[in-house]
């Protein structure tokens, strides 16, 4: 991996009811990383820590390979844009134009014509106050305003929540184009499999406050298969189980047909054939099924997060 945009070293955050950590993570510059995991896994907490909206109780966070005592330098903070899960109420009484004028003072890199282009593309109601907008309309404004900063690091917390399919498609295309045209890093927390499929280079999985690891998205696709085989009776099933200890959920589906899940089927195809077992059909597991297996401990090939690779 090249340069890191973000690095977490043994970061912990202690909540009233839950402890989040230890988090060790290195996010490469120039890529989109999807942060996935069930509700309450700790995704928003992690994103908030990258902006110092929440401070870790232990551990160290590095931005572009630097660590900072106290607050982030202004220049760095101004190169980070954030679309939070809930919009900030401070701007509720403003129209998009008024909020843009305010933000343009705060962000020297603010690109007003890009903002206007995105507002038009997303069809954000230009005369409505932000606080009176629908959830999706506000989201579209927030996305346009975050991108208008021309950020070097863009943090998106469930950005598509509330978007209609038309707006969702514009968001995907806009983010893809932004990455093509800029040296940027995006971290996106999402529950939408299609978003991960379309956008992510890397996937980071969080589960119950633990960071389970990071993997390349492309290595996940096709990594698990469900196989249906012809099998005669319980004894043949036992034999197959003994020969394929890595097979999961091996069971008789109907008389004469068994199914199981396996990683990297190409490694076992010959062995199955040599056993005289006939494969009836197979399918690749979907990303959400693979992520669910991962939360249950069946890890994919992970990227080493140790320092000094
Ligand atoms: N301010 C807070 N005080 C105490 N506990 C909190 C606070 N904010 C979050 N938590 C707890 O920390 C855990 C992680 O929350 P977080 O919002 O980071 O999860 P998430 O992965 O973003 O979830 P979701 O997918 O539902 O948005 C949860 O158990 C939550 O209840």
């Amino acid at each position: 991996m090249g340069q890191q945009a973000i690095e977490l070293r043994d970061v912990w955050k202690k909540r009233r009811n839950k402890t989040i950590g230890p988090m060790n993570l290195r996010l490469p510059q120039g890529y989109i990383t999807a942060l996935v995991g069930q509700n309450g896994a700790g995704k928003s907490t992690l994103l908030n820590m990258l902006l110092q909206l929440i401070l870790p109780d232990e551990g160290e966070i590095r931005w572009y390979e630097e660590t900072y005592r106290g607050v982030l330098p202004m220049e760095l903070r101004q190169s980070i844009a954030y679309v939070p899960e809930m919009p900030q109420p401070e701007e509720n009484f403003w129209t998009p134009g008024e909020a843009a004028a305010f933000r343009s003072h705060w962000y020297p890199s603010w690109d007003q014509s890009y903002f206007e282009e995105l507002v038009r593309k997303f069809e954000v109601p230009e005369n409505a106050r932000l606080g009176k907008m629908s959830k999706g309309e506000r989201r579209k404004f927030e996305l346009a305003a975050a991108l208008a900063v021309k950020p070097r690091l863009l943090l998106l917390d469930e950005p598509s929540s509330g978007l209609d399919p038309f707006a969702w498609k514009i968001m995907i295309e806009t983010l893809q184009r932004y990455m093509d045209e800029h040296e940027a890093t995006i971290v996106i927390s999402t529950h939408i499999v299609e978003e991960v499929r379309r956008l992510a280079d890397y996937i980071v999985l969080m589960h119950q406050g633990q960071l389970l690891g990071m993997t390349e998205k492309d290595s996940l696709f096709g990594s698990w298969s469900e196989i249906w085989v012809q099998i005669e009776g319980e004894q043949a099933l036992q034999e197959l189980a003994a020969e394929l200890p890595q097979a999961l959920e091996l069971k008789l589906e109907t008389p004469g047909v068994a199914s199981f899940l396996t990683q990297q089927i190409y490694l076992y195809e010959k062995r199955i054939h040599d056993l005289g077992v006939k494969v009836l059909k197979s399918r690749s597991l979907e990303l959400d099924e693979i992520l669910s297996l991962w939360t249950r401990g069946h890890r994919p090939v992970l990227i080493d997060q140790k320092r000094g690779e």
Side-chain angles (χ1 to χ4, degrees), residues 202-216:
Y202 296 99
I203 299 176
V204 168
L205 178 64
M206 294 194 72
H207 186 58
Q208 296 177 343
Q210 303 279 312
L211 218 152
L212 297 191
M214 179 174 186
T215 185
E216 276 180 54

Side-chain angles (χ1 to χ4, degrees), residues 228-237 251-259 278 280:
W228 286 265
V229 293
Q230 194 171 345
I231 203 112
E232 297 307 332
E234 191 59 36
Q235 196 186 334
L237 189 67
K251 57 182 182 292
L252 271 181
E253 291 271 355
T254 53
V257 178
S259 72
K278 187 172 173 216
L280 298 172

